PDB file of all heavy atoms in Angstrom:
ATOM      1  N   LEU A   1     118.633 -47.432-100.137  1.00  0.00           N
ATOM      2  CA  LEU A   1     117.453 -46.889-100.504  1.00  0.00           C
ATOM      3  C   LEU A   1     116.185 -47.642 -99.842  1.00  0.00           C
ATOM      4  O   LEU A   1     115.071 -47.351-100.148  1.00  0.00           O
ATOM      5  CB  LEU A   1     117.292 -46.944-102.090  1.00  0.00           C
ATOM      6  CG  LEU A   1     118.297 -46.081-102.782  1.00  0.00           C
ATOM      7  CD1 LEU A   1     118.119 -46.235-104.297  1.00  0.00           C
ATOM      8  CD2 LEU A   1     118.218 -44.644-102.382  1.00  0.00           C
ATOM      9  N   GLY A   2     116.459 -48.579 -99.035  1.00  0.00           N
ATOM     10  CA  GLY A   2     115.418 -49.286 -98.382  1.00  0.00           C
ATOM     11  C   GLY A   2     114.632 -50.272 -99.321  1.00  0.00           C
ATOM     12  O   GLY A   2     113.417 -50.625 -99.056  1.00  0.00           O
ATOM     13  N   LEU A   3     115.223 -50.699-100.413  1.00  0.00           N
ATOM     14  CA  LEU A   3     114.539 -51.575-101.370  1.00  0.00           C
ATOM     15  C   LEU A   3     114.794 -53.161-100.982  1.00  0.00           C
ATOM     16  O   LEU A   3     115.735 -53.394-100.346  1.00  0.00           O
ATOM     17  CB  LEU A   3     115.119 -51.336-102.753  1.00  0.00           C
ATOM     18  CG  LEU A   3     114.902 -49.920-103.247  1.00  0.00           C
ATOM     19  CD1 LEU A   3     115.623 -49.806-104.693  1.00  0.00           C
ATOM     20  CD2 LEU A   3     113.434 -49.616-103.429  1.00  0.00           C
ATOM     21  N   PRO A   4     113.905 -53.984-101.385  1.00  0.00           N
ATOM     22  CA  PRO A   4     114.171 -55.381-101.127  1.00  0.00           C
ATOM     23  C   PRO A   4     115.446 -55.806-101.778  1.00  0.00           C
ATOM     24  O   PRO A   4     115.937 -55.251-102.769  1.00  0.00           O
ATOM     25  CB  PRO A   4     113.028 -56.098-101.917  1.00  0.00           C
ATOM     26  CG  PRO A   4     111.905 -55.021-101.898  1.00  0.00           C
ATOM     27  CD  PRO A   4     112.616 -53.715-102.104  1.00  0.00           C
ATOM     28  N   PRO A   5     116.138 -56.765-101.205  1.00  0.00           N
ATOM     29  CA  PRO A   5     117.399 -57.274-101.629  1.00  0.00           C
ATOM     30  C   PRO A   5     117.454 -57.553-103.119  1.00  0.00           C
ATOM     31  O   PRO A   5     118.371 -57.217-103.843  1.00  0.00           O
ATOM     32  CB  PRO A   5     117.754 -58.495-100.835  1.00  0.00           C
ATOM     33  CG  PRO A   5     116.961 -58.322 -99.527  1.00  0.00           C
ATOM     34  CD  PRO A   5     115.716 -57.476 -99.987  1.00  0.00           C
ATOM     35  N   ALA A   6     116.497 -58.299-103.684  1.00  0.00           N
ATOM     36  CA  ALA A   6     116.414 -58.597-105.138  1.00  0.00           C
ATOM     37  C   ALA A   6     116.390 -57.340-106.016  1.00  0.00           C
ATOM     38  O   ALA A   6     117.070 -57.261-106.986  1.00  0.00           O
ATOM     39  CB  ALA A   6     115.207 -59.481-105.432  1.00  0.00           C
ATOM     40  N   THR A   7     115.573 -56.353-105.453  1.00  0.00           N
ATOM     41  CA  THR A   7     115.418 -55.124-106.136  1.00  0.00           C
ATOM     42  C   THR A   7     116.754 -54.298-106.264  1.00  0.00           C
ATOM     43  O   THR A   7     117.237 -53.713-107.238  1.00  0.00           O
ATOM     44  CB  THR A   7     114.318 -54.202-105.717  1.00  0.00           C
ATOM     45  OG1 THR A   7     113.089 -54.952-105.712  1.00  0.00           O
ATOM     46  CG2 THR A   7     114.003 -53.026-106.527  1.00  0.00           C
ATOM     47  N   THR A   8     117.369 -54.277-105.030  1.00  0.00           N
ATOM     48  CA  THR A   8     118.644 -53.595-104.979  1.00  0.00           C
ATOM     49  C   THR A   8     119.732 -54.206-105.818  1.00  0.00           C
ATOM     50  O   THR A   8     120.396 -53.489-106.440  1.00  0.00           O
ATOM     51  CB  THR A   8     119.151 -53.722-103.455  1.00  0.00           C
ATOM     52  OG1 THR A   8     118.220 -53.034-102.582  1.00  0.00           O
ATOM     53  CG2 THR A   8     120.509 -53.092-103.324  1.00  0.00           C
ATOM     54  N   GLU A   9     119.779 -55.569-105.912  1.00  0.00           N
ATOM     55  CA  GLU A   9     120.707 -56.129-106.773  1.00  0.00           C
ATOM     56  C   GLU A   9     120.476 -55.851-108.291  1.00  0.00           C
ATOM     57  O   GLU A   9     121.450 -55.574-109.071  1.00  0.00           O
ATOM     58  CB  GLU A   9     120.802 -57.632-106.545  1.00  0.00           C
ATOM     59  CG  GLU A   9     121.887 -58.416-107.317  1.00  0.00           C
ATOM     60  CD  GLU A   9     123.217 -57.904-106.953  1.00  0.00           C
ATOM     61  OE1 GLU A   9     123.517 -57.529-105.740  1.00  0.00           O
ATOM     62  OE2 GLU A   9     124.104 -57.866-107.845  1.00  0.00           O
ATOM     63  N   THR A  10     119.171 -55.836-108.662  1.00  0.00           N
ATOM     64  CA  THR A  10     118.774 -55.512-110.034  1.00  0.00           C
ATOM     65  C   THR A  10     119.201 -54.081-110.347  1.00  0.00           C
ATOM     66  O   THR A  10     119.720 -53.833-111.419  1.00  0.00           O
ATOM     67  CB  THR A  10     117.263 -55.698-110.197  1.00  0.00           C
ATOM     68  OG1 THR A  10     117.000 -57.141-109.954  1.00  0.00           O
ATOM     69  CG2 THR A  10     116.876 -55.322-111.552  1.00  0.00           C
ATOM     70  N   LEU A  11     118.927 -53.259-109.366  1.00  0.00           N
ATOM     71  CA  LEU A  11     119.274 -51.807-109.571  1.00  0.00           C
ATOM     72  C   LEU A  11     120.777 -51.545-109.748  1.00  0.00           C
ATOM     73  O   LEU A  11     121.221 -50.791-110.725  1.00  0.00           O
ATOM     74  CB  LEU A  11     118.743 -50.938-108.357  1.00  0.00           C
ATOM     75  CG  LEU A  11     119.041 -49.488-108.335  1.00  0.00           C
ATOM     76  CD1 LEU A  11     118.306 -48.868-109.576  1.00  0.00           C
ATOM     77  CD2 LEU A  11     118.428 -48.893-107.144  1.00  0.00           C
ATOM     78  N   ARG A  12     121.637 -52.193-108.940  1.00  0.00           N
ATOM     79  CA  ARG A  12     122.992 -52.122-109.141  1.00  0.00           C
ATOM     80  C   ARG A  12     123.490 -52.638-110.540  1.00  0.00           C
ATOM     81  O   ARG A  12     124.314 -51.976-111.145  1.00  0.00           O
ATOM     82  CB  ARG A  12     123.676 -52.917-108.042  1.00  0.00           C
ATOM     83  CG  ARG A  12     123.559 -52.405-106.604  1.00  0.00           C
ATOM     84  CD  ARG A  12     124.134 -53.444-105.653  1.00  0.00           C
ATOM     85  NE  ARG A  12     125.583 -53.709-105.811  1.00  0.00           N
ATOM     86  CZ  ARG A  12     126.465 -53.001-105.134  1.00  0.00           C
ATOM     87  NH1 ARG A  12     126.180 -52.080-104.329  1.00  0.00           N
ATOM     88  NH2 ARG A  12     127.752 -53.398-105.319  1.00  0.00           N
ATOM     89  N   THR A  13     122.832 -53.694-110.868  1.00  0.00           N
ATOM     90  CA  THR A  13     123.210 -54.267-112.249  1.00  0.00           C
ATOM     91  C   THR A  13     122.789 -53.345-113.363  1.00  0.00           C
ATOM     92  O   THR A  13     123.640 -53.097-114.349  1.00  0.00           O
ATOM     93  CB  THR A  13     122.547 -55.577-112.408  1.00  0.00           C
ATOM     94  OG1 THR A  13     122.878 -56.523-111.397  1.00  0.00           O
ATOM     95  CG2 THR A  13     122.806 -56.197-113.889  1.00  0.00           C
ATOM     96  N   VAL A  14     121.546 -52.792-113.252  1.00  0.00           N
ATOM     97  CA  VAL A  14     121.171 -51.875-114.331  1.00  0.00           C
ATOM     98  C   VAL A  14     121.993 -50.568-114.451  1.00  0.00           C
ATOM     99  O   VAL A  14     122.321 -50.010-115.429  1.00  0.00           O
ATOM    100  CB  VAL A  14     119.655 -51.584-114.139  1.00  0.00           C
ATOM    101  CG1 VAL A  14     119.215 -50.636-115.278  1.00  0.00           C
ATOM    102  CG2 VAL A  14     118.791 -52.882-114.252  1.00  0.00           C
ATOM    103  N   ILE A  15     122.373 -50.082-113.245  1.00  0.00           N
ATOM    104  CA  ILE A  15     123.318 -48.892-113.170  1.00  0.00           C
ATOM    105  C   ILE A  15     124.556 -49.220-113.880  1.00  0.00           C
ATOM    106  O   ILE A  15     125.143 -48.419-114.709  1.00  0.00           O
ATOM    107  CB  ILE A  15     123.406 -48.392-111.714  1.00  0.00           C
ATOM    108  CG1 ILE A  15     122.129 -47.792-111.136  1.00  0.00           C
ATOM    109  CG2 ILE A  15     124.635 -47.443-111.702  1.00  0.00           C
ATOM    110  CD1 ILE A  15     122.194 -47.536-109.715  1.00  0.00           C
ATOM    111  N   ALA A  16     125.094 -50.271-113.534  1.00  0.00           N
ATOM    112  CA  ALA A  16     126.415 -50.578-114.035  1.00  0.00           C
ATOM    113  C   ALA A  16     126.318 -50.789-115.620  1.00  0.00           C
ATOM    114  O   ALA A  16     127.403 -50.507-116.350  1.00  0.00           O
ATOM    115  CB  ALA A  16     126.973 -52.032-113.392  1.00  0.00           C
ATOM    116  N   ALA A  17     125.254 -51.219-116.052  1.00  0.00           N
ATOM    117  CA  ALA A  17     125.006 -51.362-117.536  1.00  0.00           C
ATOM    118  C   ALA A  17     124.732 -50.048-118.187  1.00  0.00           C
ATOM    119  O   ALA A  17     124.822 -50.032-119.448  1.00  0.00           O
ATOM    120  CB  ALA A  17     123.967 -52.378-117.855  1.00  0.00           C
ATOM    121  N   GLY A  18     124.619 -49.015-117.486  1.00  0.00           N
ATOM    122  CA  GLY A  18     124.208 -47.764-117.953  1.00  0.00           C
ATOM    123  C   GLY A  18     122.899 -47.601-118.606  1.00  0.00           C
ATOM    124  O   GLY A  18     122.528 -46.779-119.463  1.00  0.00           O
ATOM    125  N   ASP A  19     121.901 -48.471-118.185  1.00  0.00           N
ATOM    126  CA  ASP A  19     120.535 -48.487-118.690  1.00  0.00           C
ATOM    127  C   ASP A  19     119.774 -47.577-117.867  1.00  0.00           C
ATOM    128  O   ASP A  19     118.952 -47.973-116.887  1.00  0.00           O
ATOM    129  CB  ASP A  19     120.048 -49.859-118.725  1.00  0.00           C
ATOM    130  CG  ASP A  19     118.568 -49.966-119.201  1.00  0.00           C
ATOM    131  OD1 ASP A  19     118.095 -48.948-119.626  1.00  0.00           O
ATOM    132  OD2 ASP A  19     117.924 -51.016-118.989  1.00  0.00           O
ATOM    133  N   TRP A  20     119.846 -46.287-118.138  1.00  0.00           N
ATOM    134  CA  TRP A  20     119.155 -45.322-117.178  1.00  0.00           C
ATOM    135  C   TRP A  20     117.649 -45.259-117.420  1.00  0.00           C
ATOM    136  O   TRP A  20     116.991 -44.831-116.385  1.00  0.00           O
ATOM    137  CB  TRP A  20     119.830 -43.919-117.532  1.00  0.00           C
ATOM    138  CG  TRP A  20     121.211 -43.903-117.105  1.00  0.00           C
ATOM    139  CD1 TRP A  20     122.332 -43.902-117.863  1.00  0.00           C
ATOM    140  CD2 TRP A  20     121.747 -43.996-115.762  1.00  0.00           C
ATOM    141  NE1 TRP A  20     123.440 -44.045-117.113  1.00  0.00           N
ATOM    142  CE2 TRP A  20     123.099 -44.078-115.842  1.00  0.00           C
ATOM    143  CE3 TRP A  20     121.150 -44.048-114.459  1.00  0.00           C
ATOM    144  CZ2 TRP A  20     123.888 -44.296-114.652  1.00  0.00           C
ATOM    145  CZ3 TRP A  20     121.916 -44.193-113.365  1.00  0.00           C
ATOM    146  CH2 TRP A  20     123.271 -44.305-113.465  1.00  0.00           C
ATOM    147  N   ARG A  21     117.169 -45.622-118.508  1.00  0.00           N
ATOM    148  CA  ARG A  21     115.707 -45.828-118.593  1.00  0.00           C
ATOM    149  C   ARG A  21     115.174 -46.929-117.686  1.00  0.00           C
ATOM    150  O   ARG A  21     114.224 -46.915-117.071  1.00  0.00           O
ATOM    151  CB  ARG A  21     115.284 -46.067-120.020  1.00  0.00           C
ATOM    152  CG  ARG A  21     115.573 -44.922-121.010  1.00  0.00           C
ATOM    153  CD  ARG A  21     114.778 -43.756-120.616  1.00  0.00           C
ATOM    154  NE  ARG A  21     115.080 -42.513-121.328  1.00  0.00           N
ATOM    155  CZ  ARG A  21     114.516 -42.246-122.517  1.00  0.00           C
ATOM    156  NH1 ARG A  21     113.620 -42.975-123.116  1.00  0.00           N
ATOM    157  NH2 ARG A  21     114.819 -41.113-123.178  1.00  0.00           N
ATOM    158  N   GLY A  22     115.974 -47.992-117.597  1.00  0.00           N
ATOM    159  CA  GLY A  22     115.762 -49.110-116.708  1.00  0.00           C
ATOM    160  C   GLY A  22     115.793 -48.715-115.310  1.00  0.00           C
ATOM    161  O   GLY A  22     114.976 -49.078-114.517  1.00  0.00           O
ATOM    162  N   VAL A  23     116.800 -47.894-114.904  1.00  0.00           N
ATOM    163  CA  VAL A  23     116.941 -47.416-113.526  1.00  0.00           C
ATOM    164  C   VAL A  23     115.786 -46.489-113.217  1.00  0.00           C
ATOM    165  O   VAL A  23     115.235 -46.553-112.197  1.00  0.00           O
ATOM    166  CB  VAL A  23     118.204 -46.621-113.349  1.00  0.00           C
ATOM    167  CG1 VAL A  23     118.353 -45.923-112.013  1.00  0.00           C
ATOM    168  CG2 VAL A  23     119.490 -47.461-113.767  1.00  0.00           C
ATOM    169  N   GLU A  24     115.377 -45.673-114.142  1.00  0.00           N
ATOM    170  CA  GLU A  24     114.189 -44.796-113.928  1.00  0.00           C
ATOM    171  C   GLU A  24     112.931 -45.679-113.603  1.00  0.00           C
ATOM    172  O   GLU A  24     112.221 -45.326-112.611  1.00  0.00           O
ATOM    173  CB  GLU A  24     113.849 -43.986-115.233  1.00  0.00           C
ATOM    174  CG  GLU A  24     114.711 -42.744-115.436  1.00  0.00           C
ATOM    175  CD  GLU A  24     114.206 -41.968-116.661  1.00  0.00           C
ATOM    176  OE1 GLU A  24     114.209 -42.610-117.791  1.00  0.00           O
ATOM    177  OE2 GLU A  24     113.691 -40.914-116.419  1.00  0.00           O
ATOM    178  N   GLY A  25     112.742 -46.682-114.394  1.00  0.00           N
ATOM    179  CA  GLY A  25     111.624 -47.518-114.100  1.00  0.00           C
ATOM    180  C   GLY A  25     111.629 -48.178-112.747  1.00  0.00           C
ATOM    181  O   GLY A  25     110.572 -48.188-112.043  1.00  0.00           O
ATOM    182  N   ILE A  26     112.724 -48.733-112.351  1.00  0.00           N
ATOM    183  CA  ILE A  26     112.808 -49.273-111.007  1.00  0.00           C
ATOM    184  C   ILE A  26     112.530 -48.258-109.859  1.00  0.00           C
ATOM    185  O   ILE A  26     111.747 -48.472-109.080  1.00  0.00           O
ATOM    186  CB  ILE A  26     114.150 -49.902-110.856  1.00  0.00           C
ATOM    187  CG1 ILE A  26     114.392 -51.164-111.812  1.00  0.00           C
ATOM    188  CG2 ILE A  26     114.350 -50.425-109.334  1.00  0.00           C
ATOM    189  CD1 ILE A  26     115.788 -51.640-111.917  1.00  0.00           C
ATOM    190  N   LEU A  27     113.207 -47.174-110.022  1.00  0.00           N
ATOM    191  CA  LEU A  27     113.112 -46.157-109.013  1.00  0.00           C
ATOM    192  C   LEU A  27     111.788 -45.388-109.060  1.00  0.00           C
ATOM    193  O   LEU A  27     111.209 -45.016-107.989  1.00  0.00           O
ATOM    194  CB  LEU A  27     114.284 -45.115-109.148  1.00  0.00           C
ATOM    195  CG  LEU A  27     115.583 -45.592-108.826  1.00  0.00           C
ATOM    196  CD1 LEU A  27     116.699 -44.678-109.136  1.00  0.00           C
ATOM    197  CD2 LEU A  27     115.754 -46.050-107.326  1.00  0.00           C
ATOM    198  N   PHE A  28     111.167 -45.193-110.253  1.00  0.00           N
ATOM    199  CA  PHE A  28     109.849 -44.651-110.338  1.00  0.00           C
ATOM    200  C   PHE A  28     108.806 -45.412-109.570  1.00  0.00           C
ATOM    201  O   PHE A  28     108.038 -44.936-108.774  1.00  0.00           O
ATOM    202  CB  PHE A  28     109.430 -44.402-111.700  1.00  0.00           C
ATOM    203  CG  PHE A  28     108.216 -43.715-111.888  1.00  0.00           C
ATOM    204  CD1 PHE A  28     108.041 -42.292-111.743  1.00  0.00           C
ATOM    205  CD2 PHE A  28     106.992 -44.381-112.106  1.00  0.00           C
ATOM    206  CE1 PHE A  28     106.908 -41.615-111.897  1.00  0.00           C
ATOM    207  CE2 PHE A  28     105.735 -43.747-112.245  1.00  0.00           C
ATOM    208  CZ  PHE A  28     105.680 -42.316-112.121  1.00  0.00           C
ATOM    209  N   GLU A  29     108.790 -46.825-109.762  1.00  0.00           N
ATOM    210  CA  GLU A  29     107.912 -47.691-109.151  1.00  0.00           C
ATOM    211  C   GLU A  29     108.156 -47.677-107.665  1.00  0.00           C
ATOM    212  O   GLU A  29     107.138 -47.667-106.820  1.00  0.00           O
ATOM    213  CB  GLU A  29     108.078 -49.079-109.700  1.00  0.00           C
ATOM    214  CG  GLU A  29     107.104 -50.068-109.089  1.00  0.00           C
ATOM    215  CD  GLU A  29     107.260 -51.446-109.696  1.00  0.00           C
ATOM    216  OE1 GLU A  29     108.024 -51.618-110.694  1.00  0.00           O
ATOM    217  OE2 GLU A  29     106.688 -52.434-109.173  1.00  0.00           O
ATOM    218  N   ALA A  30     109.405 -47.699-107.277  1.00  0.00           N
ATOM    219  CA  ALA A  30     109.657 -47.656-105.804  1.00  0.00           C
ATOM    220  C   ALA A  30     109.184 -46.343-105.106  1.00  0.00           C
ATOM    221  O   ALA A  30     108.640 -46.357-104.062  1.00  0.00           O
ATOM    222  CB  ALA A  30     111.175 -47.800-105.543  1.00  0.00           C
ATOM    223  N   ALA A  31     109.458 -45.246-105.769  1.00  0.00           N
ATOM    224  CA  ALA A  31     109.080 -43.892-105.170  1.00  0.00           C
ATOM    225  C   ALA A  31     107.526 -43.720-105.232  1.00  0.00           C
ATOM    226  O   ALA A  31     107.041 -43.152-104.367  1.00  0.00           O
ATOM    227  CB  ALA A  31     109.746 -42.816-105.975  1.00  0.00           C
ATOM    228  N   SER A  32     106.925 -44.395-106.198  1.00  0.00           N
ATOM    229  CA  SER A  32     105.443 -44.293-106.225  1.00  0.00           C
ATOM    230  C   SER A  32     104.810 -45.019-105.043  1.00  0.00           C
ATOM    231  O   SER A  32     103.804 -44.622-104.447  1.00  0.00           O
ATOM    232  CB  SER A  32     104.965 -44.899-107.550  1.00  0.00           C
ATOM    233  OG  SER A  32     105.308 -44.207-108.631  1.00  0.00           O
ATOM    234  N   GLY A  33     105.512 -46.034-104.579  1.00  0.00           N
ATOM    235  CA  GLY A  33     105.019 -46.809-103.491  1.00  0.00           C
ATOM    236  C   GLY A  33     105.416 -46.271-102.223  1.00  0.00           C
ATOM    237  O   GLY A  33     104.955 -46.585-101.187  1.00  0.00           O
ATOM    238  N   ASN A  34     106.348 -45.301-102.234  1.00  0.00           N
ATOM    239  CA  ASN A  34     106.896 -44.660-101.021  1.00  0.00           C
ATOM    240  C   ASN A  34     107.210 -43.198-101.335  1.00  0.00           C
ATOM    241  O   ASN A  34     108.333 -42.746-101.383  1.00  0.00           O
ATOM    242  CB  ASN A  34     108.137 -45.383-100.462  1.00  0.00           C
ATOM    243  CG  ASN A  34     108.549 -44.852 -99.066  1.00  0.00           C
ATOM    244  OD1 ASN A  34     107.885 -43.951 -98.486  1.00  0.00           O
ATOM    245  ND2 ASN A  34     109.652 -45.556 -98.548  1.00  0.00           N
ATOM    246  N   PRO A  35     106.146 -42.336-101.621  1.00  0.00           N
ATOM    247  CA  PRO A  35     106.386 -40.988-102.018  1.00  0.00           C
ATOM    248  C   PRO A  35     106.995 -40.041-100.963  1.00  0.00           C
ATOM    249  O   PRO A  35     107.301 -38.929-101.387  1.00  0.00           O
ATOM    250  CB  PRO A  35     104.958 -40.537-102.323  1.00  0.00           C
ATOM    251  CG  PRO A  35     104.069 -41.387-101.520  1.00  0.00           C
ATOM    252  CD  PRO A  35     104.815 -42.697-101.458  1.00  0.00           C
ATOM    253  N   ASP A  36     107.154 -40.491 -99.722  1.00  0.00           N
ATOM    254  CA  ASP A  36     107.724 -39.610 -98.709  1.00  0.00           C
ATOM    255  C   ASP A  36     109.104 -40.048 -98.404  1.00  0.00           C
ATOM    256  O   ASP A  36     109.663 -39.571 -97.392  1.00  0.00           O
ATOM    257  CB  ASP A  36     106.946 -39.729 -97.376  1.00  0.00           C
ATOM    258  CG  ASP A  36     105.589 -39.156 -97.548  1.00  0.00           C
ATOM    259  OD1 ASP A  36     105.371 -38.141 -98.381  1.00  0.00           O
ATOM    260  OD2 ASP A  36     104.577 -39.598 -97.006  1.00  0.00           O
ATOM    261  N   SER A  37     109.816 -40.815 -99.359  1.00  0.00           N
ATOM    262  CA  SER A  37     111.133 -41.188 -99.072  1.00  0.00           C
ATOM    263  C   SER A  37     112.050 -40.217 -99.779  1.00  0.00           C
ATOM    264  O   SER A  37     112.226 -40.313-101.160  1.00  0.00           O
ATOM    265  CB  SER A  37     111.442 -42.612 -99.614  1.00  0.00           C
ATOM    266  OG  SER A  37     112.846 -42.893 -99.606  1.00  0.00           O
ATOM    267  N   ALA A  38     112.727 -39.357 -99.133  1.00  0.00           N
ATOM    268  CA  ALA A  38     113.730 -38.463 -99.714  1.00  0.00           C
ATOM    269  C   ALA A  38     114.884 -39.067-100.438  1.00  0.00           C
ATOM    270  O   ALA A  38     115.229 -38.693-101.606  1.00  0.00           O
ATOM    271  CB  ALA A  38     114.247 -37.397 -98.704  1.00  0.00           C
TER     272      ALA A  38
END
């Protein structure tokens, strides 16, 4: 997804934990900063 390594690792951990609200938060912030990333 082109995220910084630390963010990528956090995202993987949150997905594995099934914390989808947490995943939303990470990805929403990332997409807001890069709105043209499909």
Side-chain angles (χ1 to χ4, degrees):
L1 298 178
L3 301 173
T7 304
T8 298
E9 187 57 35
T10 299
L11 181 59
R12 289 169 63 95
T13 301
V14 176
I15 289 174
D19 178 8
W20 295 107
R21 295 297 175 88
V23 175
E24 280 184 299
I26 293 170
L27 292 173
F28 183 81
E29 182 177 353
S32 296
N34 190 358
D36 294 326
S37 171

